[in-house]
Amino acid sequence: MNILFFLKPKSELAYIHDYHTLRQALEIMEYHKYSSVPILNKEGKYVGSITEGDLLWSLKRWNLLNLKDAEDISVMKVDRRLDYQCVAAEAAMEDLIGRAMEQNFVPVVDDHGYFIGIITRRDIIEYCYKKMKGCE
């Protein structure tokens, strides 16, 4: 099955850029109510992902109790526990299952490494469930 049937396109997602500040990352994630978001560079290539936990541990480590102080810290200085591994648009759905055990979503990139969207863990589990039940 072509994974692009399950793709949530970049235009419908929240993400942050590698030049954003810690405060901007916090505000983007709060506004969209996401627990994890992709990080893209200026060219639109996927460079990693960041979670609420990553942000919270950084706030604690730097002893930041005032968001004003978070305006001067690059999001790329935040220690990330795990960068979500991406797949190429040509990947098979079966290739995503192992990743879904560790990640909330799987980032998808095109032939040139540009971020095009994500496939959520929910969609991967739903695919597996239907396959198991013989619905596919």
Side-chain angles (χ1 to χ4, degrees):
M1 164 133 327
N2 188 330
I3 67 168
L4 296 180
F5 288 116
F6 301 96
L7 186 78
K8 294 197 182 329
K10 176 182 173 181
S11 61
E12 297 176 12
L13 302 172
Y15 51 87
I16 59 174
H17 287 281
D18 59 359
Y19 54 81
H20 279 143
T21 66
L22 177 57
R23 181 175 179 157
Q24 288 171 313
L26 284 164
E27 289 175 348
I28 288 167
M29 290 176 73
E30 178 187 26
Y31 178 81
H32 292 282
K33 298 180 179 24
Y34 285 171
S35 61
S36 179
V37 292
I39 303 171
L40 310 181
N41 66 15
K42 289 179 184 177
E43 292 77 38
K45 293 188 177 186
Y46 176 74
V47 296
S49 54
I50 196 161
T51 67
E52 287 175 321
D54 298 334
L55 297 173
L56 290 172
W57 286 114
S58 292
L59 291 172
K60 180 182 185 277
R61 186 182 73 185
W62 292 320
N63 197 26
L64 296 176
L65 300 175
N66 181 343
L67 281 182
K68 181 84 173 126
D69 297 334
E71 292 175 357
D72 298 325
I73 299 171
S74 167
V75 74
M76 296 308 288
K77 290 188 177 180
V78 171
D79 288 334
R80 298 188 307 269
R81 183 184 69 82
L82 173 71
D83 273 326
Y84 290 7
Q85 298 300 304
C86 63
V87 296
E90 302 83 31
M93 191 58 154
E94 290 75 15
D95 298 333
L96 305 178
I97 295 169
R99 292 198 169 113
M101 291 172 31
E102 303 292 327
Q103 308 174 182
N104 295 338
F105 60 86
V106 179
V108 181
V109 297
D110 68 10
D111 295 344
H112 302 289
Y114 291 98
F115 177 77
I116 59 172
I118 65 168
I119 299 175
T120 64
R121 179 186 288 162
R122 176 186 170 91
D123 287 338
I124 295 166
I125 292 171
E126 183 177 5
Y127 168 81
C128 292
Y129 177 76
K130 286 180 178 178
K131 196 103 160 133
M132 192 174 68
K133 291 291 189 179
C135 299
E136 275 292 299

